[in-house]
Amino acid sequence: MQLQLTDGTTTVTLSGTSPVTGCTYFPNTPDRKGGVYEDVTETAQVVLTGTAANIRTSVNSIERLFELAALRQAGGTNPKVYVNYAPVAETAHRSEILEGRVIWDTNPGLRRLSDTNPTVRIGVIWRRRFYWEGAETSLGTATVNNGPSGNTLTYNSVTGSLPAPVRLTLTNPGSSISTQKFYIANDVANLFATTDHFLYVAGGSESVTWSGSTSHSNNLWTINVPTALAAAMRGERYRVWAAFSSIPDNVYVRASVQTVISGVPNLGQAGGELIAGGNNGKQLMDLGALNMPPSGYIGTGAVFSIVLSFFAGFGGSATLLWVMIAPAHTTLDLRQAGYSIATDQAVVHDGIEDVDYLSLASKYPGIERTGELLLYPGQQNKLRLLWDEGNTFNAARQLSVAGVYRPRRLLV
Amino acid sequence: MAQFTVRLWDRNNLPIATPLRLRPLRYAWADVGGPETAEIGLEGSPADLVGALRWLGGSVRIVGEDGTPVWWGIVSEASFVADGMEYGLTLEGMANRVAVIYASNGASAITDWEEDTRSTALYGNIELIHSLGNATPAQAEAAAVSILTQKAWPRRLVRTAQGSTAGGRLLCIGRYSAMAWRYYANSIGRVAFEGEKEGEAILGWGFASSQFVGFHGKVKRICQLNCAMTGLRANDKIVVSGSTSNNGTFTVVEEAGIDGQVIYDGASGVTFAVTDDINDSNDLLNQFTVGEMFRVENTASNDGFWFWRTVGPEACTVRPNTVANEGAGGDTKLTQGNSVKVAETLTQESPVIGSKFVTILAHGQKLDQSFTVADGGTWVVGEVAVWVRRVGSPGDNLKVELCADSSGSPGTVLDSATVTGSSLPTRSVKLQVLLNRTATLNNNIYHLVVSRTGAASPTDYYLLSVDEEAGYSGGQLRLWTGSAWTARTVDADLHFEVWGHRETTAIIAEIATVYIGGASIRTAAGVYDRMYRAGTKTALDEIERLLPAGTSLGARLLAMVSVDNILIVEAAPATAAARWRNGRFTNLQGQPLARGLLPVGQWVALDVPIDDDRAPFSPLWLARCEYDVVGDTITPGFAEMSVWQVGELDEG
């Protein structure tokens, strides 16, 4: 057995290094209430033999690590403290310690420090995260395109038993680009085939023109969800992104889900609005999340459409490239202010350490993040990426994406 | 618990990076304004928590578990707990720009803004107009400085911590309610003049083709047997036409002293003696007045028109000296009218029944007050006001015209309206006249022309209030003589107001653009209001006064601040868009909405077993809603309104 407490700098081995002579420990299984796992409190019984000073030094080292763990939980920025454990001779798993304490044994004979070279027993009690993390595992590096010609990364060999965060390094292989927003969605259920998540206007022109004004009662683009896909969708919320090759400033864009029966549209659900143009709008627009189909799962034969509409007090025209949809609950949004990313420079999302940054000539903490990206063990994990460059969208851009994760398990 | 994210930006819109963990605790939406309040918990080290106090005035956005923004607004209060006490700062009650409104010499006045520029740079403008009551300008200015000193920086909060032993919290408000921090002023769209000295200008006085007008040359009186001269006042000018020798313009210097005719009928004691004597054995001639014209009827030799030279009870003398001797008759009749004295020389002239028809019109058949627009704007006139009263019972209308300028005179009529003359009171009042909004003004000279639609009358006419100190510098009052515009004898200016009108939704858009960042009007109100604002009401007060008026079709107007900080103004929907089921909102088909997404400002259908075709219970209007993020519970605030109102709506 390997059992260590460490913050990366100080390591106390509880499974054998002097003055430790013995240790009894086996991880507890976390409780689960309301679908949420609870932190785990457990105890390692450690036997130490040596001088009182040595024993006291070891105990103090453990207590200092626990103090650092508590400080971290109170908002400190010191490194996390982990318990590293392996039941056999293998690479250990780690679990973050939240707090802990050391107690002397209740048997006076096992705490007689006044003896010469005493043998004592202590209880090392900690509260840790409910999961264990394995060693960092590379998911490889692949190139993705910013659009229908290949924006999917497939991570289908994720191990463990729990969803795990991922570190994605999004490296620019081409000339400098000033990216701004990145959207990364995980089609965990592999609902969409290679390019099924891109939807196009059927039987209509992608370019529309309106005169005078237009409102949301005017369906500018009606995008029929393919029958097979519609039959597989179960009423979950799906994020909707729309890419335009041209769109005027100051139009308000909205996505809705509608059922069209005999040419008569029936609004099922509408999302919020985004304004295009100025500092807010752009050619790639995140139009929020909608239930698809709005009725929930109705099986084969389901027919519904995604409708895009504008509110504008003026006439104009716009050209829609496509709409991309992805499950909403597994989406990560990254945003940087538009700094130029040169060749081989990168945007890094490190879900393992819960940080994001720009990796340029130096590392810059200039990334905002919303949402959470998790990889699901035993699933396909098809990551769909889109990114814009401020108000513009360029489908010809590419990124080289390297993925790393630590498998998460409840038990090791 | 749902996974929510909080994003923060400082007042320069730069993202705030913090090691603190931000956890939304609860937030609320309202149907007017959208995001209303939010509370966000802070977890982290005490040193970092203190740093949160610097976030006041910054922007905040709460993002729901599926990436959809669910609340957005401004940080208005930040606090943290230490040693059982809560310490914090709040923008509530703060004011870094202060003015004082006060009364001085019976008039309202306001000081210039006193500003703490360091505070406004950090927190933006948070304004306060303090009302002081009666004060001198120096007192008011001192008060403004004093109040600014007290309020220029965020108010400190020190209180016993309630319910938490560590951490901190942010209280946030929506940008809609933050409009209460600013006062909205618009100097465009108002031209007005209210002088201090009251006078009245006569409008539409006169008569035509009278056979009973005489001119008393010796005493410069113009006489009229029916007492038509009543109403003329000193300094009024009148134009005489149709006379033999006295056509022209005359200035009244003395008003008529007699209101009604004096009739001595059956004057059996009256005798006549050459060349100018009239006597009365009954001693009743002293009811007449020297200088007035009178008519003698039913005599053998003296029927005609005469002017009293001297008057006594039993003996009088008259002009002209053509009285013939004649004894008393049983039905002699003497009728006296009235007269005004004029400044100009008159030629003695008597009426000639059947052959002489005299017309007298006062200057002021129309009034023209020119005025200057100099506010730099272009605006549509929706309303004018004058102070006016009627005399007698005019059977016509008062007409107000707004005219372009044509070489100093009224030109093309840009807009006009009429008011029924008989509806006006006999005591001067402010008459507000709504126009048709066809006149667009910009920096130029225009004319406000007031006239009557009917013929002039000596008994039924109008009087308009004027300032006889002529204190208006942007134009002048002129009177229409019947053939030309001329200056008033005593220079004056009309008391008047000209107001620009704009559609209420356009005003809301202007306010929101300045104080929120933008506006999108989805439903034009079709209802208009004055565009000028003195700046004594907050932007929020102004919008909350305009919104309830709704649309001209009777629809309710909603306003919601979007995630892009645009105020969306539109008519309230007529159909339900969500459903309330088992403590959750779903779409109409029953699929749960994203956690924390609150369909406020929508009709919400209820899954309750209450159904009555005459008074259906569902849907209900969701006027307000609070979401407890920690407990994942929703507290809907359905509007209390009649089921009959609800019954007119369609659930889908």
Side-chain angles (χ1 to χ4, degrees), chain A residues 156-353:
Chain A
N156 56 9
S157 58
V158 174
T159 60
S161 62
L162 294 171
V166 61
R167 177 165 67 241
L168 292 179
T169 303
L170 312 172
T171 303
N172 176 21
S175 56
S176 294
I177 55 174
S178 298
T179 59
Q180 202 164 81
K181 281 186 177 178
F182 295 85
Y183 304 102
I184 308 170
N186 186 0
D187 176 17
V188 181
N190 190 27
L191 185 63
F192 304 95
T194 308
T195 58
D196 274 359
H197 52 295
F198 287 97
L199 305 179
Y200 301 86
V201 177
S205 171
E206 294 174 2
S207 296
V208 299
T209 299
W210 68 95
S211 59
S213 62
T214 185
S215 72
H216 295 306
S217 61
N218 180 22
N219 293 351
L220 292 178
W221 292 276
T222 299
I223 302 151
N224 298 327
V225 177
T227 310
L229 183 60
M233 300 175 86
R234 292 176 172 267
E236 293 177 12
R237 286 183 298 281
Y238 293 86
R239 286 277 284 276
V240 178
W241 293 269
F244 298 86
S245 60
S246 70
I247 182 170
D249 287 350
N250 297 320
V251 297
Y252 297 80
V253 188
R254 191 185 83 172
S256 59
V257 182
Q258 300 192 12
T259 303
V260 183
I261 304 172
S262 300
V264 179
N266 180 38
L267 177 64
Q269 194 177 358
E273 286 183 338
L274 274 188
I275 187 170
N279 294 323
N280 300 305
K282 53 206 66 71
Q283 292 174 326
L284 178 63
M285 304 196 78
D286 171 13
L287 298 177
L290 297 168
N291 292 81
M292 295 186 204
S295 59
Y297 182 57
I298 54 176
T300 57
V303 175
F304 62 93
S305 305
I306 297 170
V307 170
L308 299 188
S309 56
F310 289 171
F311 179 91
F314 49 84
S317 60
T319 301
L320 176 70
L321 293 173
W322 38 256
V323 162
M324 188 185 100
I325 58 176
H329 67 282
T330 55
T331 302
L332 175 75
D333 298 349
L334 300 176
R335 180 193 306 248
Q336 65 118 335
Y339 291 108
S340 178
I341 300 176
T343 305
D344 294 335
Q345 295 183 342
V347 170
V348 178
H349 161 64
D350 188 347
I352 300 171
E353 294 302 323

